[in-house]
Amino acid sequence: MTEFARCPRSFALKRHEGAPQLPAPWAGHGSAGHHALLDVWEANGRTHTASEVQEAFVSKFREYIAEYDQREPDRSLWLRGGRKSTDRDIADREALGIEQVANYMQYVTTEGLEPWEIDGRPAVELPFKINIGEGLFGEPIIVRGFIDALYRDVNWVPLVRDLKFGKRPAWDFQLWMYGIAVREEYDIDVEYGDFFLCKENAPTNPVELLKMPDEEVLDLVIKMDAADMIGYYNPNPGEACRTCDVQRSCKFFA
């Protein structure tokens, strides 16, 4: 939904037309950070040391970079942050990620949050699949995804959290959808969520999930599904074009 809202044309190029995607070290940075903190540390009961989690980050990040090299050997064509070279961007992101995963481990432990447990396992990378209604032609609309983390505080108040290694999202749709998914699929009355901004080593202010009615959130998805079904993929040229990984396949690239 967020991808479609940013640019329907980019969404179609990636999802339907199979346009080649330019590598971007920032994507590997974020994915490796999620792997280290969620799959390695949280999913295993926080039994790994900071150095082990950092090693997991570096190993996974380098895997992504090797994969990107296979996809596009000319690193000068990669997307990268600022005016630095791709090699400099890769080195900077590896060093930054090493620092960020250790910072998060310390922060969340001090914060007093623990992963909720579902079926005896920490509720991280929590899958969901919900039917939200009928589409334009009567077909069921199924929303699938994974929630980074469902935490609880010392009073067992639940909180959905999404880790961000880049900027804060422009809106809270992701958290709204996660709240609906947790309440419907896992029958847990979650009312709050936040984004943890690793660049700032701090969470956003808690988002009151129930302030946005569920029906309004789901209506956005239903309307996006209808637009997708009829092929409404208008471009949205602007600042987002600079970081769009299918820009070379888009004739509207600004």
Side-chain angles (χ1 to χ4, degrees):
M1 177 69 198
T2 302
E3 185 178 37
F4 191 95
R6 184 168 55 245
C7 180
R9 182 61 187 145
S10 174
F11 173 91
L13 285 168
K14 280 187 265 195
R15 303 285 179 170
H16 299 310
E17 299 180 28
Q21 299 179 41
L22 289 170
W26 63 65
H29 175 187
S31 296
H34 279 78
H35 167 75
L37 289 171
L38 302 179
D39 299 335
V40 175
W41 188 55
E42 293 285 29
N44 289 290
R46 299 183 176 178
T47 55
H48 290 77
T49 65
S51 62
E52 289 172 331
V53 177
Q54 289 171 317
E55 288 173 9
F57 167 81
V58 171
S59 177
K60 182 61 70 172
F61 181 65
R62 290 179 180 178
E63 282 183 29
Y64 283 117
I65 296 303
E67 177 189 320
Y68 298 162
D69 276 323
Q70 290 293 317
R71 188 195 312 170
E72 176 50 76
D74 185 352
R75 287 187 174 184
S76 70
L77 298 177
W78 293 17
L79 300 175
R80 54 194 179 275
R83 297 183 179 181
K84 65 181 73 173
S85 69
T86 299
D87 288 347
R88 181 74 263 164
D89 193 34
I90 291 170
D92 287 351
R93 288 184 183 281
E94 181 171 305
L96 180 60
I98 289 170
E99 179 183 346
Q100 288 173 330
V101 295
N103 286 345
Y104 182 78
M105 292 171 69
Q106 181 178 16
Y107 189 101
V108 77
T109 302
T110 305
E111 194 179 24
L113 293 181
E114 295 277 350
W116 200 279
E117 287 198 358
I118 294 177
D119 296 329
R121 298 178 62 84
V124 295
E125 297 287 8
L126 189 64
F128 67 88
K129 177 183 176 182
I130 56 175
N131 185 335
I132 67 168
E134 290 189 352
L136 195 61
F137 303 112
E139 74 289 352
I141 300 176
I142 307 297
V143 179
R144 299 177 178 85
F146 291 87
I147 299 165
D148 279 358
L150 175 64
Y151 284 118
R152 61 171 176 81
D153 66 14
V154 293
N155 296 312
W156 285 82
V157 175
L159 172 92
V160 289
R161 169 167 289 174
D162 193 76
L163 301 181
K164 295 298 181 189
F165 286 81
K167 296 179 180 179
R168 188 200 194 286
W171 61 335
D172 297 325
F173 173 83
Q174 195 172 10
L175 296 177
W176 300 332
M177 194 70 238
Y178 287 173
I180 293 171
V182 169
R183 291 191 295 272
E184 288 202 9
E185 182 144 342
Y186 295 100
D187 196 27
I188 297 171
D189 291 327
V190 60
E191 298 183 16
Y192 297 95
D194 67 22
F195 295 108
F196 191 92
L197 307 179
C198 292
K199 291 173 69 173
E200 301 176 15
N201 194 39
T204 61
N205 290 329
V207 174
E208 295 182 48
L209 304 177
L210 299 182
K211 276 193 170 182
M212 177 61 71
D214 290 358
E215 59 270 20
E216 292 189 29
V217 177
L218 299 181
D219 186 57
L220 290 171
V221 182
I222 291 170
K223 287 177 178 175
M224 187 218 79
D225 180 76
D228 191 21
M229 292 295 290
I230 65 173
Y232 177 84
Y233 303 125
N234 277 12
N236 184 28
E239 179 62 25
C241 291
R242 187 182 64 82
T243 57
C244 177
D245 56 5
V246 291
Q247 58 183 234
R248 287 196 297 178
S249 300
C250 182
K251 60 185 178 183
F252 301 102
F253 173 56

